[in-house]
Amino acid sequence: MKNILVTGGAGFIGSNFVHYLLAQHEACRVVVYDKLTYAGNLDNLRPAQDNPRYAFVRGDICRREDVAAAVRAHNIDTIVNFAAETHVDRSIMDPDAFIQTSVYGTYTLLEVAREFGLERYHQISTDEVYGHVPAGHSSKESDPLIPRSPYAASKASADLLVNAYHVTYGLPTTITRGSNNIGPYQYPEKAVPLFATNAIDRLPLPVYGDGRQMREYQYVGDHCEAIDLVLRRGQVGETYNVGTGVEVENLAMIDILLDTLDRPLSLIRHVTDRPGHDRRYSLDIGKITALGWEPAHTPEEAIALTARWYRDNEWWWRKIKSGEFQQYYEAQYGERLRTAAPLN
Ligand code: NAD
Ligand code: DAU
């Protein structure tokens, strides 16, 4: 029996990973350790709540004694760390919690992993650590880290700590760097769920700048499968990119989304761009495909599936959008939308 501590497991990708593990591996117990910030949501874990192989602990990864108590109580052998502040725009408004959780929190988890001699510490990282990628190049795992937002810098710092613990203390670590995930349970501040839920309500879609920025939108279930593969077959001390190899412009993503939801392009509003906006990410995924993984969904399928999930699960997102979210939305978009240009 494996006992896996999934930190940040009440968030978007973490909760999908919990459901994936419970469904795929009978011989696996999963303990979620999560602070339940604005992005953490126990609704995401509802399908697991009666499973005898699942447990939940509320806690902050920055609190070493609390993490150690959870590891001890549940006889944990593996930590998979999803816990982070994850929205680039919020990191521009107030970076503090980003640095606390991704830098100090990752350090705390690494110390606990070392103290208990865990079998594996796995860090969930991001393609944003490579920074903007010029046309014609795809980032390899060995490329320099040139993060350009406080969020990306906090994630790159965490990766450096993880590698230092492997080299210095021999801690058995692995890292995966994923591209933009989409799918069920993503907090509607991120572009795809924000645009899907706005479109359902026939509200404007605030598109940054010209909307021709490039992302590798991937289905969250595919990402979960890749993380699981790296846990089982990845080389200790190594990093693996996880993307699709297919670049999608934001306007193309919106096209698929609006078509799926049967809404007009006239909902698009071009608003003032995000400061320091990385125009293009592109991952070389040769290393993970050599391990035996490839994405099961095309980006088009992933976007359409996600749009339909939001259409069919209003119970999940309406209560989020009616809470704290409204103040955030006004601060982030109020002025920008009032001075925005419609698509012409
Ligand atoms: P999310 O914002 O949906 O969830 C983050 C979770 O972490 C929440 O449940 C929150 O309560 C928890 N958390 C935050 N601070 C914590 C703390 N101090 N202690 C314990 N729990 C804490 O995030 P997500 O989109 O699911 O991203 C998960 C991970 O994957 C992050 O590390 C992110 O950097 C990385 N990532 C995300 C994407 C993406 O497209 N969303 C892509 C690549 C990598
Ligand atoms: O690339 C992986 C990263 O993807 C993760 O590490 C981050 O946690 C995750 O938030 C995501 O970052 P992005 O900044 O790429 O995602 P976001 O959904 O915020 O934006 C996607 C694209 O859409 C980006 O080019 C900015 C643009 N955008 C976003 C929002 C929120 C808009 O045009 N309008 C918006 O309102």
Side-chain angles (χ1 to χ4, degrees):
M1 186 64 82
K2 287 207 77 60
N3 295 317
I4 303 184
L5 191 72
V6 179
T7 51
F12 162 48
I13 311 176
S15 61
N16 277 281
F17 186 65
V18 168
H19 302 315
Y20 181 90
L21 281 180
L22 291 172
Q24 296 296 320
H25 301 295
E26 287 283 315
C28 171
R29 283 201 199 92
V30 180
V31 180
V32 169
Y33 182 94
D34 196 293
K35 186 178 177 181
L36 295 182
T37 67
Y38 80 92
N41 184 349
L42 290 178
D43 280 349
N44 302 359
L45 292 163
R46 263 202 213 178
Q49 69 190 8
D50 297 324
N51 191 317
R53 293 184 289 118
Y54 160 79
F56 178 81
V57 177
R58 186 169 190 179
D60 186 334
I61 62 164
C62 298
R63 295 177 64 96
R64 180 170 174 167
E65 280 316 309
D66 295 351
V67 178
V71 166
R72 197 177 296 112
H74 294 277
N75 201 18
I76 294 298
D77 49 63
T78 301
I79 291 179
V80 183
N81 179 31
F82 293 86
E85 291 291 333
T86 61
H87 193 40
V88 174
D89 293 321
R90 290 193 196 243
S91 85
I92 295 167
M93 290 164 125
D94 185 3
D96 195 83
F98 289 75
I99 310 304
Q100 287 293 337
T101 293
S102 278
V103 184
Y104 193 76
T106 299
Y107 152 75
T108 301
L109 294 177
L110 289 165
E111 277 295 308
V112 173
R114 192 160 80 90
E115 178 187 344
F116 285 82
L118 298 192
E119 288 170 22
R120 180 71 69 87
Y121 175 89
H122 183 79
Q123 176 73 6
I124 306 299
S125 184
T126 167
D127 59 4
E128 302 212 4
V129 298
Y130 300 115
H132 163 75
V133 182
H137 182 73
S138 292
S139 307
K140 285 189 183 299
E141 291 82 352
S142 53
D143 279 2
L145 306 188
I146 313 175
R148 289 159 28 101
S149 71
Y151 163 71
S154 73
K155 294 296 292 182
S157 307
D159 286 11
L160 296 179
L161 279 168
V162 172
N163 284 332
Y165 270 65
H166 173 68
V167 172
T168 308
Y169 304 113
L171 193 72
T173 60
T174 38
I175 298 175
T176 42
R177 294 191 179 132
S179 65
N180 288 60
N181 279 224
I182 55 175
Y185 306 128
Q186 186 170 31
Y187 193 87
E189 66 194 351
K190 308 292 190 322
V192 171
L194 176 71
F195 294 166
T197 54
N198 277 15
I200 290 165
D201 283 345
R202 294 185 162 79
L203 293 170
L205 313 189
V207 174
Y208 295 161
D210 64 4
R212 303 203 54 192
Q213 304 84 4
M214 211 88 81
R215 294 293 185 266
E216 284 187 33
Y217 290 102
Q218 70 168 313
Y219 198 62
V220 63
D222 293 343
H223 187 198
C224 292
E225 198 180 22
I227 297 164
D228 182 40
L229 180 69
V230 170
L231 282 178
R232 289 181 294 109
R233 301 233 293 270
Q235 194 79 34
V236 158
E238 293 293 321
T239 297
Y240 296 85
N241 289 338
V242 183
T244 61
V246 183
E247 297 169 36
V248 181
E249 285 190 357
N250 286 333
L251 283 177
M253 171 270 284
I254 291 169
D255 222 18
I256 299 165
L257 204 103
L258 289 174
D259 188 53
T260 309
L261 296 170
D262 195 23
R263 292 290 186 270
L265 288 170
S266 59
L267 288 176
I268 293 173
R269 295 287 182 285
H270 288 275
V271 300
T272 313
D273 208 348
R274 169 188 283 174
H277 195 167
D278 288 334
R279 201 153 173 87
R280 175 176 181 266
Y281 298 131
S282 177
L283 287 176
D284 182 322
I285 55 170
K287 195 165 165 183
I288 182 102
T289 53
L291 217 54
W293 173 89
E294 59 180 40
H297 300 84
T298 64
E300 290 79 6
E301 288 166 348
I303 294 162
L305 267 176
T306 303
R308 287 196 282 270
W309 189 85
Y310 282 88
R311 186 193 60 200
D312 298 341
N313 288 279
E314 293 193 11
W315 71 272
W316 184 85
W317 58 266
R318 283 216 181 273
K319 55 186 165 189
I320 296 174
K321 278 191 116 176
S322 62
E324 173 269 354
F325 185 84
Q326 285 189 344
Q327 284 132 46
Y328 166 76
Y329 195 79
E330 175 55 29
Q332 189 63 246
Y333 299 104
E335 191 54 28
R336 277 159 136 177
L337 277 169
R338 284 188 281 276
T339 55
L343 183 75
N344 45 39

